[in-house]
Amino acid sequence: MTLPNWITFSRLLGIPFLLYGLHNPTPESRLVCLAIFLVAALTDWLDGYLARKLNQISDLGKFLDPLVDKLLVLAPLLALIELGQVPAWGVFLILARELAIAGWRVNQSTITGANIWGKLKTVSQIVAIALLIAPLPERWLLTALISFWVSVALTIISGVIYLLPSRDVVSVHDG
């Protein structure tokens, strides 16, 4: 396994700490969770950078990276549902898109990396979750919630865009 793949895998280690810290959050535990989440999110950039720089892009990395990203995003979102900070149906939309894309990818002979819409989706989710986890003053709650809904919208848009080329290829061959 390559160094970038090890870094990707290491992001999983932060998830139990996030879930524990958000179970009965205090302002201090929220700060710790925010730090853990942001460090884990930064390693998403680091593993991609190293994979390209060291010429260690692999099919395992193309598969593992988005899977770990999904877990890193969905774990705190589930905790935020429990805390009543986000509605379950918004998180369900994110989950449904992620499962649809993952299911679609399983049937592909080659695994492609994320396009610009997938990257925007990931960044918007990281920003939204960071704002929702952070112990911010009440006046920031609306901003955090708006960022969550922007991330939901980008998640859906990126999923549709990701699947559109495959429909074009199918329709050309069928017709």
Side-chain angles (χ1 to χ4, degrees):
M1 196 151 81
T2 65
L3 175 62
N5 289 343
W6 277 111
I7 292 171
T8 298
F9 187 72
S10 74
R11 285 201 304 270
L12 288 173
L13 299 176
I15 294 173
F17 296 102
L18 276 174
L19 293 175
Y20 181 78
L22 291 173
H23 182 64
N24 288 309
T26 63
E28 294 79 16
S29 70
R30 282 182 175 268
L31 274 177
V32 170
C33 288
L34 177 63
I36 290 169
F37 180 75
L38 290 176
V39 167
L42 283 174
T43 66
D44 184 29
W45 171 83
L46 179 63
D47 63 24
Y49 171 79
L50 289 175
R52 289 184 297 279
K53 179 100 171 145
L54 301 173
N55 197 26
Q56 294 182 345
I57 296 172
S58 65
D59 283 342
L60 175 62
K62 289 179 188 176
F63 171 78
L64 191 60
D65 185 64
L67 176 64
V68 173
D69 289 347
K70 288 166 186 41
L71 294 173
L72 184 64
V73 164
L74 289 169
L77 285 175
L78 291 173
L80 292 167
I81 290 171
E82 187 177 17
L83 294 172
Q85 286 188 247
V86 295
W89 70 271
V91 176
F92 174 80
L93 291 174
I94 292 172
L95 176 62
R97 181 270 191 204
E98 300 300 356
L99 290 175
I101 297 299
W104 182 83
R105 280 183 170 176
V106 166
N107 294 317
Q108 302 305 303
S109 57
T110 59
I111 301 171
T112 60
N115 63 23
I116 187 66
W117 289 98
K119 293 179 188 296
L120 285 172
K121 170 210 57 129
T122 301
V123 169
S124 71
Q125 289 173 343
I126 290 168
V127 168
I129 292 167
L131 288 172
L132 289 162
I133 290 174
L136 297 173
E138 196 168 319
R139 67 178 178 269
W140 281 89
L141 295 180
L142 181 60
T143 301
L145 199 54
I146 289 170
S147 70
F148 169 74
W149 288 112
V150 167
S151 76
V152 170
L154 284 172
T155 299
I156 293 168
I157 291 166
S158 70
V160 169
I161 289 171
Y162 192 86
L163 294 175
L164 281 179
S166 66
R167 285 195 213 156
D168 293 341
V169 170
V170 170
S171 64
V172 168
H173 292 299
D174 289 344

